[in-house]
Amino acid sequence: MSDLSQSLFFRMGVTKPISASLQSAVSELLGALLTQSGYEKIGLSRESLAAILCDVAAKYLPAGCSHTEARTFLLSLRVEELALARACAAGHNAAWEIFLTRYREKLYQSALRIAREDSAARDLADTLYAELYGTTTRGGERISKLASFTGRGSLEGWLRTVLAQEFVNRYRRTRRLVSLDEEGEEGSQFAAPETEALMSPDSRLESATNHALASLSNEERTVLALYFLDGRTLAEIARMLGVHESTISRKVDKLAKSLRKKILANMMQQGMARRQAEEALEVDVRDLRLDIRRSLAQEPPPATFSDQREAPVQPRTQGDPANPQNELRLEKPAL
Amino acid sequence: MQDVPQFVLKRLREQAPAGSHPDADLLTAFAEQSLPGSERAHVMKHLAACGDCRDVVALALPAAEILVSPVSVIRAQSRWFGLPVLRWGALAAGLAVVISVGFFQYSHDRKADMVASNRAQEAVTLPSPSNSAPSTQTAVSQTDAGKQAGHKPAVEVGRTNRAAGHKVVFAQAAHSPNALSARANPTAATSLEMKTRKTSEPLEAQTSGAVNSDSAAISQNQIAQQLAQNEAQLLPDGGSVTNLSSFDVVKAKDPVPVQASSNNAPTSLASPGPLQTSPSLMLRALPRWGVSSSGVLQRSFDGGNTWENVNPVLNEALVSSHPATQRAMEADAANSGQAKSQKATVPVDPGAVFRAVAAFGLEVWAGGSDGVLYHTSDGGNHWIRVTPSVAGARLTGDIVGIQFSDPQHGKIATSNAELWTTSDTGQTWQKQR
């Protein structure tokens, strides 16, 4: 067994050097993993599966990992789905057949749930299909996106994630193309830098806020951002983080309270009176809102989606040179 | 929920994402809670600062778990007279009353028969008594006297149907979560019967005119279909007796005694004319079945022009494995109209995702993701969840194909390359790999 795998590793020419402990773990588990993967049905050989396993392990495991680490890692992989994906990437027909019966419908359904609109969903799913088949040729070689699947999570979940990534990329791209006005609509993203320049918030408030945020754990900051910035529901956050909804609910409430308390305490430490500190926090918020309103008042009201589409036509017919804002808008879509 | 100062949110938003985005594999494993601690912490650190990756994880969440049938069964049993039941029941009852009152007004205008319509309205507005057994007896005696159908078969038919009537009541009491509305529906059924008699127009013309327009018409259709089925089950000998019996079926189920007396009204009792169209009606009422691209089961009563969604998960009959109760459920013609009206008003919940459907007459099999398999033997009004299993092994993969060569023999193909076969309408299964 070990002889076989030694020669294997030699033949494979894996890009990264493989540690001895990983080698031994792979050769120890290869038999069990092979039966688990059903490799024969989908046209994979022992050698190719071993190569895939080493490839994946080398990607995620640190160079100096122990034998047991390598072992638990290999056992945590979804070997059957990994083998299927890689067999598809290698162009085995039997594998493709299985893949399509299992995932074709699911893929379209997931796309529909992500894009929430039929034609966009079809487009999204079709793009991914093209990538899965591997139409991008690099050096005359077809590279399927499935070759990058590593079996850390389920193949179904991976497909959904890839779809979501594509969707987010696209969404950002189109949002930038359309106009800056929308970003103003989205929230303070657009207004914030301006107000900062206008009013320069108290440096003590700033340092206190930074301090308070830094004192939170990554998970706490993620929860805060998910709830307050992204507008996710408690149920969604709970499912993302794998905890109960009520836990998240309590956590958000507690975090918001403690954050406020921490910032106030920190400002008081820096020599502010309690009332002064409270005012700084409140006044700041109120000023921000005032400033947004003021900046909105100066500009024409932010165009809604339907207005936007008509915008290029309007100035032409009206020919209003007195309003430079209109001129500006005429040019934006052309960009 | 406590608010966070906007300034703080701004700071939170302005955090610079640490390092490059984690790959799709890691994000998937993160969402599936299968990352070991150190890697999870790493991804979490990135998520705290990267809105895009947070969006990706949120968008890629699997569809919310569907409440599978066992749960809905339990709920239905425990909430017999719960608020929703009362509410829908009241709605259905109100609907039935309005329709029949409207109809009687209409016929009153046409015939100017004051007495008859008054009686009929009394019949409708009178509260239905809970004991239906005496009424069925009245109905039977009425049949005998009114029709002078002295043939033995007819009497026997009456008896069988009385038994069936008992069964129906039992089935409703034991199984139907909508006991109240179910009671209202025989009235609707009777109004249909009255309509066909009074107007004496060919039934076929009536239905074809009304099929597309309103749900009441479709429920007519369904009732006719149920009648045809009852004929087949209760009276295999056919002939002219069969035609008579389909009237009796309706009457035997009628729990309103005054209704029976209204049969004494001037309207002629024996008018077998319209009934002769019932076989062709039955053929026409056989729906066509399909599955939409999003996995919703659909049927069409007009040859595929219009489709309605059918949700077996909602309409799942609460049936024990006992064949007798099963038959009683099928005889429950009254319920079909009610199921219909409910479907029209309740927003169809996503339910299971269907991939394949096979129909053989009124026997329909529908299967889909995660081994969901439903069977109906009444054209889709009552569904029974079937879980094929052999020697402890259950069908678990997604069902991708169903084929039935006749009502007994069928095959089911799954996504994990299994083939399940049955030769006894799904009572037992064999698995081939």
Side-chain angles (χ1 to χ4, degrees), chain B residues 75-390:
Chain B
R75 191 193 286 160
Q77 275 170 344
S78 61
R79 293 199 190 168
W80 253 44
F81 294 104
L83 200 60
V85 171
L86 287 173
R87 197 165 54 208
W88 292 119
L91 192 76
L95 211 68
V97 166
V98 166
I99 288 171
S100 27
V101 165
F103 163 69
F104 284 125
Q105 284 293 352
Y106 172 71
S107 67
H108 157 77
D109 286 349
R110 279 187 68 181
K111 291 200 168 184
D113 189 348
M114 283 292 285
V115 186
S117 78
N118 276 345
R119 273 196 203 172
Q121 275 180 352
E122 271 171 34
V124 172
T125 44
L126 263 176
S128 343
S130 54
N131 56 333
S132 63
S135 72
T136 39
Q137 271 168 348
T138 336
V140 170
S141 61
Q142 213 81 55
T143 324
D144 295 345
K147 287 189 182 163
Q148 291 133 12
H151 335 286
K152 283 261 171 185
V155 180
E156 270 169 20
V157 166
R159 290 223 179 100
T160 352
N161 284 327
R162 192 171 52 182
H166 279 303
K167 261 191 214 162
V168 169
V169 174
F170 167 72
Q172 281 171 0
H175 301 294
S176 165
N178 296 313
L180 242 181
S181 51
R183 204 184 291 155
N185 274 291
T187 327
T190 322
S191 79
L192 162 70
E193 178 201 14
M194 296 282 286
K195 190 173 182 179
T196 53
R197 281 191 199 178
K198 279 195 177 175
T199 52
S200 301
E201 281 166 12
L203 189 54
E204 196 168 353
Q206 262 186 16
T207 11
S208 67
V211 156
N212 308 333
S213 54
D214 55 351
S215 66
I218 302 178
S219 72
Q220 274 184 16
N221 228 341
Q222 284 182 332
I223 289 165
Q225 181 188 330
Q226 288 283 353
L227 285 181
Q229 201 192 335
N230 286 338
E231 276 175 44
Q233 280 188 348
L234 299 172
L235 257 200
D237 36 345
S240 61
V241 187
T242 318
N243 278 337
L244 280 174
S245 78
S246 67
F247 258 145
D248 295 341
V249 171
V250 175
K251 221 181 289 166
K253 287 207 201 84
D254 182 5
V256 189
V258 194
Q259 195 79 41
S261 76
S262 80
N263 286 343
N264 279 339
T267 49
S268 69
L269 252 179
S271 64
L275 276 172
Q276 270 153 12
T277 59
S278 87
S280 73
L281 194 71
M282 180 184 78
L283 281 181
R284 189 114 62 94
L286 273 185
R288 274 168 67 170
W289 290 87
V291 174
S292 79
S293 60
S294 54
V296 178
L297 188 62
Q298 296 177 316
R299 69 178 167 189
S300 168
F301 285 104
D302 54 4
N305 287 328
T306 56
W307 292 86
E308 61 167 18
N309 291 350
V310 178
N311 192 342
V313 186
L314 275 185
N315 286 22
E316 191 182 0
L318 310 167
V319 174
S320 67
S321 54
H322 200 275
T325 37
Q326 212 166 314
R327 209 165 299 130
M329 284 303 289
E330 286 160 13
D332 186 2
N335 231 353
S336 71
Q338 179 263 329
K340 181 73 213 166
S341 66
Q342 197 182 36
K343 220 175 292 154
T345 41
V346 174
V348 175
D349 126 334
V353 174
F354 289 93
R355 303 274 163 77
V357 61
F360 200 93
L362 290 171
E363 301 266 336
V364 183
W365 293 81
S369 51
D370 301 325
V372 164
L373 180 63
Y374 282 91
H375 171 226
T376 176
S377 29
D378 58 3
N381 295 320
H382 302 94
W383 293 87
I384 297 155
R385 170 116 192 216
V386 181
T387 312
S389 62
V390 59

Side-chain angles (χ1 to χ4, degrees), chain A residues 301-313:
Chain A
T304 60
F305 263 125
S306 52
D307 287 339
Q308 206 115 46
R309 262 172 229 151
E310 288 161 26
V313 189

Side-chain angles (χ1 to χ4, degrees), chain A residues 29 58 63 66 94 134 170 181 183-184 193 201 208-209 217 219 227 231 239 245 261 266-267 279 299-300 309-310 317:
Chain A
L29 293 172
S66 69
R170 258 187 221 197
D181 282 5
E183 262 179 59
T209 306
S217 74
E219 181 165 354
Y227 189 79
R239 287 170 68 210
E245 198 179 323
K261 217 180 280 174
N266 193 295
M267 282 196 286
E279 257 170 30
E299 278 180 285
R309 262 172 229 151
E310 288 161 26
T317 49

Side-chain angles (χ1 to χ4, degrees), chain A residues 180 219 269:
Chain A
L180 282 168
E219 181 165 354
Q269 260 180 19

Side-chain angles (χ1 to χ4, degrees), chain A residues 7-194:
Chain A
S7 62
L8 262 180
F9 297 130
F10 184 72
R11 249 188 292 150
M12 282 170 340
V14 185
T15 44
K16 280 190 189 178
I18 298 166
S19 67
S21 52
L22 174 57
Q23 247 180 50
S24 65
V26 168
S27 35
E28 182 197 330
L29 293 172
L30 191 59
L33 295 178
L34 276 170
T35 41
Q36 204 185 319
S37 71
Y39 66 106
E40 276 165 329
K41 253 202 310 195
I42 50 178
L44 279 186
S45 66
R46 296 172 72 91
E47 288 81 8
S48 49
L49 188 72
I52 291 165
L53 289 174
C54 289
D55 201 31
V56 169
K59 184 177 174 190
Y60 290 109
L61 287 178
C65 66
S66 69
H67 176 83
T68 41
E69 267 179 322
R71 210 172 165 275
T72 43
F73 176 82
L74 288 172
L75 285 175
S76 78
L77 290 180
R78 297 185 178 239
V79 179
E80 200 247 332
E81 293 177 352
L82 174 62
L84 179 68
R86 296 303 180 96
C88 287
H92 295 295
N93 274 339
W96 269 113
E97 238 166 71
I98 297 176
F99 179 84
L100 288 179
T101 42
R102 269 199 219 167
Y103 298 111
R104 189 174 49 199
E105 275 301 311
K106 282 179 181 160
L107 210 140
Y108 277 109
Q109 277 159 22
S110 306
L112 189 63
R113 233 189 16 259
I114 289 169
R116 294 215 195 97
E117 192 260 311
D118 199 47
S119 67
R122 297 242 156 234
D123 195 35
L124 198 65
D126 287 341
T127 311
L128 179 59
Y129 259 121
E131 284 177 9
L132 292 181
Y133 277 116
T135 43
T136 43
T137 50
R138 202 182 293 161
E141 203 183 346
R142 275 192 1 160
I143 296 172
S144 162
K145 199 168 178 103
L146 282 168
S148 69
F149 177 67
T150 56
R152 295 301 307 269
S154 71
L155 186 49
E156 198 186 330
W158 182 81
L159 289 170
R160 279 197 311 265
T161 307
V162 173
L163 278 174
Q165 280 178 330
E166 174 70 24
F167 181 74
V168 168
N169 276 343
R170 258 187 221 197
Y171 178 66
R172 278 194 3 244
R173 225 180 293 143
T174 49
R175 199 170 51 165
R176 264 182 212 144
L177 277 178
V178 172
S179 159
L180 282 168
D181 282 5
E182 255 172 278
E183 262 179 59
E185 244 183 325
E186 283 267 307
S188 51
Q189 223 173 6
F190 179 61
E194 230 178 73

